[in-house]
Amino acid sequence: MIEQKKMCINRAVLVGLNAFCLGREENATEATMEELEDLLKTAGGEAVGMVLQNKDTPDPRTFIGEGKVEEVRELVENGGADMVIFDNSLSPSQQRVLSETLKVTVLDRSALILDIFAQRARTREGRLQVELAQYQYLLPRLTGMWTHLERQEGAIGTRGPGETQLETDRRHIHRKIAKLKEELEQVRRVRGVQRERRIKNEVPVVALVGYTNAGKSTLLNRLTGADIPANDRLFDTLDTTTRTLEISDTCTVLISDTVGFIRKLPHHLVEAFKATLEELSYADLLLHVIDSSNPEWREQAEVVEKLIHELGASQTPRIDVFNKSDRYTGELLPHGADRVILSAKTGRGVDELLQAIGQRLDTGAHRVVLHLPYDQGGMLEQLYRDAKVESVEYAESIVVTAVLTPILLGRLKDYIVEGWTPPKEPWED
């Protein structure tokens, strides 16, 4: 008889604090608590209780105050929870005190997001980035792991070992962080070489950005047939995917999907993923994908705007793509230039998006026919390298049909017989 193994599901009590003295990004609200519950489901857990505390200032020791901690402890016991997850960021000492008081694992939003990223990362680059962020998160929390020895500093039998082990762990983690940064720098160098090649070949780059679960992967699949897994859950795609997209006969671009953003995204996670996200600052066009069916799409769009600015891509041309229009039931969505309303799921509005991309990225390329003399056959190699060659025939001369960029049009104008006429010089009028 084969026994079926039951999957262990973590049960958690979710806690948030809304304090007058905290900034908007630091506070917990009903909306962020619902998002925290979605994050927990994405990580494979379930919520058995939720507490949202309103307080003037955070308690320096327990964050939410002794009375609320007792309430949380009762929810933990009654719900059979094995962890408590805070929507706010906790200091290492607060996390330690709460763990000791509640007798269960205590995490904050950053730790939960890191766990999801660790589950989702598939490529070597993705794993490197997540591992770096985890070590950076762990480093300031090491001290709390050794307080049982540090508190007894000077007592018989405890001199040295605690501090020695703590310093050993710190050195080990610093070495790991340095090694991971070095490996990610190598990734950056490789991306730099690829980027230079794209610039040389004048291939425009389009980057998809947006809040997590806005439908970026579904849109990429619709545009390119990429067949990326696209499920209705947060952070379903972490690893960057780049595909070729033919906008028109004379315009072909590279389009890349990027990791989704979210409120209170841990800063060290953004730093770790800069090797991937820096592509945004080098893109020729951003497609900001917005989940128009979400009542809080404006707040989500604001989060993305802020992170785009932080990554140095605020000056990059952008098209706002209001996705999931098939599920939208609200008032009229924004219209106008550089705004497209579509449904990546049904395909409605995709043609309008392609047209908008083409208008933004029209490089002035032309499909032409060239007659190359045989003694100029070496030019064919350059065409294969720097242009889009469609056909080659060998007759009295080498007849080439290709899509040429403006630079190549100028260089090869003497051999073009069809598809483009060089502009007249002023003195020729």
Side-chain angles (χ1 to χ4, degrees):
M1 184 177 176
I2 301 174
E3 291 185 9
Q4 289 185 339
K5 291 184 179 179
K6 288 188 178 179
M7 196 175 184
C8 179
I9 297 177
N10 290 114
R11 297 160 66 83
V13 174
L14 307 182
V15 183
L17 175 67
N18 190 304
F20 179 76
C21 70
L22 294 179
R24 182 178 166 190
E25 282 293 310
E26 300 170 290
N27 268 322
T29 63
E30 289 184 8
T32 64
M33 292 296 287
E34 287 176 12
E35 194 171 76
L36 185 66
E37 185 174 7
D38 288 339
L39 285 168
L40 178 60
K41 288 176 183 174
T42 301
E46 66 171 325
V48 295
M50 190 178 292
V51 175
L52 180 57
Q53 164 78 319
N54 293 304
K55 194 174 171 64
D56 289 337
T57 58
D59 185 277
R61 185 169 179 273
T62 63
F63 194 66
I64 54 175
E66 302 290 345
K68 220 61 180 176
V69 170
E70 183 58 30
E71 182 183 328
V72 172
R73 190 182 65 78
E74 290 178 6
L75 283 173
V76 167
E77 291 178 357
N78 295 336
D82 53 9
M83 64 174 54
V84 173
I85 303 175
F86 279 72
D87 190 44
N88 316 76
S89 292
L90 298 173
S91 70
S93 62
Q94 288 167 338
Q95 198 168 347
R96 183 181 72 246
V97 168
L98 287 164
S99 294
E100 291 173 353
T101 306
L102 298 170
K103 302 293 191 293
V104 293
T105 301
V106 175
L107 304 175
D108 58 14
R109 187 184 181 99
S110 294
L112 180 60
I113 291 174
L114 283 171
D115 184 82
I116 294 169
F117 271 54
Q119 291 181 43
R120 294 278 184 271
R122 293 288 178 268
T123 64
R124 178 175 175 272
E125 179 188 350
R127 291 192 182 109
L128 283 173
Q129 292 171 127
V130 173
E131 191 177 354
L132 174 60
Q134 286 176 318
Y135 276 121
Q136 289 173 327
Y137 178 82
L138 176 63
L139 190 58
R141 287 160 174 78
L142 273 181
T143 305
M145 299 176 183
W146 293 99
T147 50
H148 61 293
L149 295 178
E150 288 181 343
R151 281 199 203 116
Q152 301 173 40
E153 188 176 352
I156 296 174
T158 61
R159 292 188 188 91
E163 188 65 25
T164 301
Q165 185 61 57
L166 176 61
E167 289 306 316
T168 299
D169 286 352
R170 276 184 179 148
R171 281 197 298 273
H172 172 69
I173 290 180
H174 278 300
R175 282 197 299 269
K176 287 290 290 183
I177 287 174
K179 185 173 184 296
L180 289 166
K181 283 183 175 180
E182 187 179 321
E183 292 184 58
L184 283 171
E185 189 55 40
Q186 177 61 29
V187 171
R188 274 200 178 94
R189 284 194 288 269
V190 171
R191 283 187 184 278
V193 171
Q194 294 171 340
R195 194 181 300 119
E196 286 174 12
R197 191 177 299 128
R198 289 200 305 261
I199 293 170
K200 183 180 179 182
N201 294 341
E202 296 189 351
V203 181
V205 177
V206 178
L208 292 166
V209 296
Y211 208 78
T212 182
N213 206 30
K216 297 184 300 300
S217 296
T218 303
L219 181 58
L220 185 65
N221 288 342
R222 171 66 64 177
L223 292 172
T224 67
D227 198 27
I228 302 168
N231 302 303
D232 187 13
R233 61 183 182 182
L234 305 183
F235 296 121
D236 194 56
T237 306
L238 284 192
D239 300 312
T240 301
T241 303
T242 301
R243 293 288 185 272
T244 301
L245 173 62
E246 191 168 308
I247 302 295
S248 65
D249 291 344
T250 58
C251 181
T252 299
V253 304
L254 292 176
I255 183 165
S256 293
D257 189 10
T258 60
V259 62
F261 299 144
I262 197 169
R263 276 174 285 211
K264 306 178 186 179
L265 193 63
H267 181 71
H268 44 263
L269 198 53
V270 176
E271 284 294 316
F273 270 76
K274 273 192 175 174
T276 300
L277 295 174
E278 70 176 0
E279 286 293 295
L280 299 184
S281 59
Y282 292 100
D284 298 282
L285 179 67
L286 300 182
L287 299 185
H288 179 184
V289 183
I290 300 166
D291 178 2
S292 62
S293 69
N294 192 307
E296 296 203 347
W297 67 262
R298 288 179 181 81
E299 289 78 6
Q300 293 181 350
E302 191 179 322
V303 170
V304 176
E305 295 274 357
K306 184 178 177 182
L307 285 165
I308 287 174
H309 178 75
E310 184 181 336
L311 293 163
S314 55
Q315 300 303 313
T316 305
R318 187 171 75 242
I319 296 174
D320 290 334
V321 181
F322 291 90
N323 190 25
K324 303 188 184 181
S325 62
D326 55 311
R327 291 162 50 180
Y328 181 71
T329 57
E331 299 175 358
L332 191 66
L333 287 167
H335 283 68
D338 294 330
R339 285 176 176 151
V340 176
I341 298 171
L342 58 73
S343 168
K345 185 177 180 181
T346 66
R348 187 178 69 193
V350 169
D351 288 342
E352 287 84 347
L353 175 61
L354 291 173
Q355 185 179 357
I357 295 172
Q359 289 173 349
R360 270 292 190 171
L361 298 179
D362 183 7
T363 59
H366 286 75
R367 174 183 281 103
V368 298
V369 177
L370 304 100
H371 285 186
L372 298 176
Y374 279 94
D375 61 357
Q376 298 294 328
M379 290 183 181
L380 191 58
E381 183 182 345
Q382 181 185 6
L383 287 171
Y384 274 116
R385 187 176 65 249
D386 298 337
K388 182 181 177 183
V389 177
E390 295 182 349
S391 67
V392 177
E393 294 178 15
Y394 294 90
E396 294 181 6
S397 60
I398 306 172
V399 182
V400 183
T401 302
V403 177
L404 303 189
T405 62
I407 291 176
L408 287 175
L409 288 170
R411 287 178 186 168
L412 302 174
K413 63 183 179 181
D414 294 340
Y415 306 104
I416 297 173
V417 297
E418 184 182 325
W420 182 72
T421 303
K424 287 184 177 181
E425 301 293 347
W427 59 83
E428 293 179 325
D429 291 331

